[in-house]
Amino acid sequence: MNQSKANLAIEISAPIRKRTYFWGQIRRNKWLYGMLAPGVLYFLLFKYLPMWGLLLAFKDYQPFLGFFGSNWVGMKHYERLFHDPAFWMLLRNTLVLAGYNILFFFPAPILLSLMINEVRRDKLKRAIQTVIYIPHFVSWVVVVGIAYTFFTIDGGLVNEAIMAMGGEKINFLASAGWFRPMITLEVIWKETGWGTIIFLAALAGVDPQLYEAAKMDGAGRLRQLWNVTLPAIRSTIVILFILRLGSFLDTGFEQIFLMLNPINREVGEVFDTYVYTAGITQGQFSFSTAVGLFKSLVGFVLVISSNWLAKRFGEEGVY
């Protein structure tokens, strides 16, 4: 009898001890948790709470009926999306622009980081880093304005240079063929410098003794780059590639919206701009939510798949 009472007392006191230990940790590290609180609140308010609105994708939302009063329609909006002729145009345009970003933009910060890492004078290296970071802080409105200034057919610097060399003017801004290269070049110009931050931090952690050993074995600069530097930052490249695939279909609303016109819309309309048109300008809230959820699900599947493949090939992955 006494043994059973002792066991019962232990079972009751165990959760109490856990709660006491938990609150003791909170009090002991209150300043650290206080610093963590703004980030947690941000994600709760702007990332998790809005997920409740995803139910609109399965409802026929009517503002006068409200969120809960609107009729449940299940997969109706997805049937409409997949049978809409515009869906395949949107999917094609989004995949092509996303593929351009993966093929041309993703390697750009890596290559630039490797080149900056080879600069031996610290002052020159810091000056280069400062200059290449600046475009990231320029808004897309300004970037598109600069593009118009350079490439417009009426007095644009590029067309004036072409004319000076005896060529004919090219209407870059109203050409369907030039739309995708211009979008990709703008992204490279604006974000490549900012993307070098993580890679330069990874390069700073490479053990200098590895380079000394490679030199003793007769390796030149290119051989050191290939056999020491790239393997040392391979895990960083893989993780960022996986994260990049998570936003694979996020081609950027603001930039594309500002560059669109009736002539290039056939190759420039993507899911982001379509969601704005259908949801904001046409008031199709449920349908536009369904389109956005479809895009997010594709990104989720890509992250899971790429993370699984990374682990199969011996890399750490994201989780």
Side-chain angles (χ1 to χ4, degrees):
M1 186 67 177
N2 292 333
Q3 184 64 33
S4 61
K5 288 182 178 180
N7 293 336
L8 180 61
I10 292 173
E11 292 177 1
I12 294 174
S13 62
I16 296 175
R17 285 200 303 269
K18 289 182 179 178
R19 287 196 295 270
T20 304
Y21 175 78
F22 173 77
W23 288 111
Q25 289 292 322
I26 294 292
R27 287 193 297 270
R28 190 174 298 110
N29 302 296
K30 58 184 178 181
W31 297 114
L32 292 177
Y33 286 109
M35 293 172 63
L36 183 66
V40 172
L41 288 174
Y42 168 78
F43 276 95
L44 287 175
L45 292 175
F46 298 103
K47 301 296 182 181
Y48 287 97
L49 285 180
M51 288 184 183
W52 183 258
L54 294 177
L55 290 175
L56 286 181
F58 308 99
K59 286 175 168 282
D60 188 11
Y61 177 71
Q62 301 294 331
F64 61 89
L65 293 177
F67 185 85
F68 295 101
S70 299
N71 295 327
W72 184 272
V73 295
M75 303 299 290
K76 172 186 172 182
H77 299 299
Y78 288 99
E79 293 175 2
R80 174 189 166 186
L81 173 64
F82 296 139
H83 288 90
D84 190 342
F87 171 76
W88 299 107
M89 177 197 72
L90 296 171
L91 184 63
R92 181 187 69 247
N93 294 342
T94 304
L95 289 177
V96 170
L97 283 172
Y100 277 22
N101 284 336
I102 290 292
L103 186 62
F104 298 108
F105 169 64
F106 182 77
I110 302 174
L111 296 175
L112 185 57
S113 300
L114 294 174
M115 289 189 288
I116 293 174
N117 191 57
E118 292 299 315
V119 178
R120 293 293 177 251
R121 300 178 65 178
D122 291 338
K123 289 185 178 180
L124 178 60
K125 181 186 292 188
R126 288 195 293 269
I128 293 173
Q129 289 177 262
T130 302
V131 171
I132 64 176
Y133 292 163
I134 292 174
H136 170 77
F137 299 99
V138 179
S139 72
W140 278 117
V141 176
V142 176
V143 173
V144 173
I146 294 172
Y148 270 79
T149 302
F150 273 86
F151 294 101
T152 181
I153 200 170
D154 299 321
L157 296 177
V158 174
N159 275 306
E160 291 297 320
I162 293 174
M163 291 288 291
M165 291 185 291
E168 296 183 0
K169 290 184 178 182
I170 302 173
N171 197 352
F172 294 99
L173 302 175
S175 170
W178 279 100
F179 178 81
R180 290 165 180 165
M182 288 190 65
I183 291 292
T184 307
L185 288 173
E186 288 174 4
V187 173
I188 291 173
W189 179 80
K190 186 176 187 296
E191 300 295 344
T192 297
W194 188 254
T196 62
I197 293 177
I198 295 178
F199 294 110
L200 287 173
L203 289 170
V206 180
D207 189 352
Q209 294 181 358
L210 296 175
Y211 293 106
E212 295 175 5
K215 287 180 183 179
M216 293 179 64
D217 290 337
R221 298 291 287 272
L222 289 177
R223 183 61 63 182
Q224 293 175 38
L225 180 69
W226 184 259
N227 291 330
V228 178
T229 307
L230 285 177
I233 65 172
R234 183 175 60 188
S235 60
T236 303
I237 295 173
V238 170
I239 291 174
L240 290 179
F241 183 73
I242 293 172
L243 295 176
R244 179 64 186 171
L245 287 179
S247 58
F248 182 72
L249 298 185
D250 292 334
T251 50
F253 163 75
E254 187 176 359
Q255 177 197 15
I256 295 178
F257 181 76
L258 292 169
M259 293 290 292
L260 278 179
N261 57 58
I263 298 175
N264 59 30
R265 188 170 295 275
E266 186 66 24
V267 297
E269 187 83 73
V270 293
F271 283 116
D272 291 324
T273 55
Y274 187 70
V275 167
Y276 169 80
T277 303
I280 304 300
T281 63
Q282 298 177 6
Q284 303 178 60
F285 301 110
S286 294
F287 179 66
S288 60
T289 303
V291 177
L293 181 57
F294 165 76
K295 192 185 72 169
S296 300
L297 288 175
V298 172
F300 176 76
V301 171
L302 288 173
V303 167
I304 297 297
S305 304
S306 57
N307 191 75
W308 178 79
L309 285 174
K311 288 192 172 184
R312 286 295 300 270
F313 285 99
E315 298 297 332
E316 293 181 3
V318 177
Y319 57 90

